Amino acid sequence: MEEIKEIKSVSIVPFTLMSSSISAVMGLIYALILIIVLGLVAVFLPSTASTILSILLTLAITIIIILPVGSFLLSILSSFLVALIYNLLVPRVGGIKLGMVDMKEIISMPVIPLSLMLSAVYTILTFLIMLIVAPLMMLVIQGTAIAAVSSTSAVSELGVLVPWE
């Protein structure tokens, strides 16, 4: 007989550690794939391109360090926020429900409560991320526009865009 159980909270620290560790392992796998691709590129380079080979070697060493560590560190923040937002939303929206048999085996997971909770969590997470990313994007776009207009000597066609000349 199926019993419906609700996940009322998530332990934030174990969830964050587990999710971040999985991200680090995935980052290591991606790094190894990229290193294999860089090795294939290095094989087909002529033997006179020693500077390019040294750059590829440096890039490979950098990738094997940065990808796992970087994905671990970025995943810490996102996993922590996902678990925290879930715990804050459960009293208002309701938790994820699981259909279980004898508290040992999950036999069903109703789609509507799961999709409601996941859409609410990721909507809030996206909003929080865009509070940081959107102002940075505006600064980059404005800086690029100013640089493009001020460097009319580099691209002569942009001189037409300057109304005050």
Side-chain angles (χ1 to χ4, degrees):
M1 179 156 155
E2 178 180 352
E3 275 185 75
I4 301 291
K5 296 291 181 181
E6 182 178 357
I7 301 173
K8 296 185 179 183
S9 71
V10 175
S11 299
I12 294 176
V13 173
F15 177 78
T16 301
L17 286 175
M18 177 198 62
S19 181
S20 299
S21 299
I22 291 171
S23 292
V25 170
M26 292 301 293
L28 182 64
I29 292 169
Y30 293 149
L32 293 174
I33 292 171
L34 280 173
I35 288 173
I36 291 170
V37 169
L38 287 175
L40 290 174
V41 167
V43 165
F44 293 111
L45 286 176
S47 61
T48 58
S50 63
T51 57
I52 295 174
L53 287 174
S54 64
I55 289 172
L56 288 177
L57 179 63
T58 306
L59 189 61
I61 293 169
T62 306
I63 285 173
I64 200 75
I65 294 170
I66 288 180
L67 266 178
V69 172
S71 61
F72 177 80
L73 292 176
L74 288 175
S75 181
I76 285 176
L77 179 63
S78 65
S79 301
F80 174 80
L81 286 174
V82 165
L84 180 68
I85 293 169
Y86 180 84
N87 288 342
L88 293 174
L89 285 179
V90 166
R92 293 168 182 83
V93 179
I96 296 173
K97 294 175 177 42
L98 304 172
M100 302 183 80
V101 174
D102 298 329
M103 294 298 291
K104 294 179 183 177
E105 183 182 354
I106 298 173
I107 59 169
S108 70
M109 184 179 284
V111 175
I112 293 177
L114 177 67
S115 60
L116 272 176
M117 180 54 77
L118 288 178
S119 63
V121 165
Y122 284 107
T123 300
I124 292 171
L125 188 62
T126 303
F127 178 74
L128 291 174
I129 290 170
M130 290 313 291
L131 283 176
I132 297 168
V133 171
L136 291 175
M137 285 178 59
M138 281 304 296
L139 288 175
V140 168
I141 291 170
Q142 287 177 350
T144 305
I146 290 170
V149 169
S150 67
S151 65
T152 56
S153 63
V155 181
S156 60
E157 291 82 20
L158 290 177
V160 182
L161 298 176
V162 182
W164 57 84
E165 288 185 10

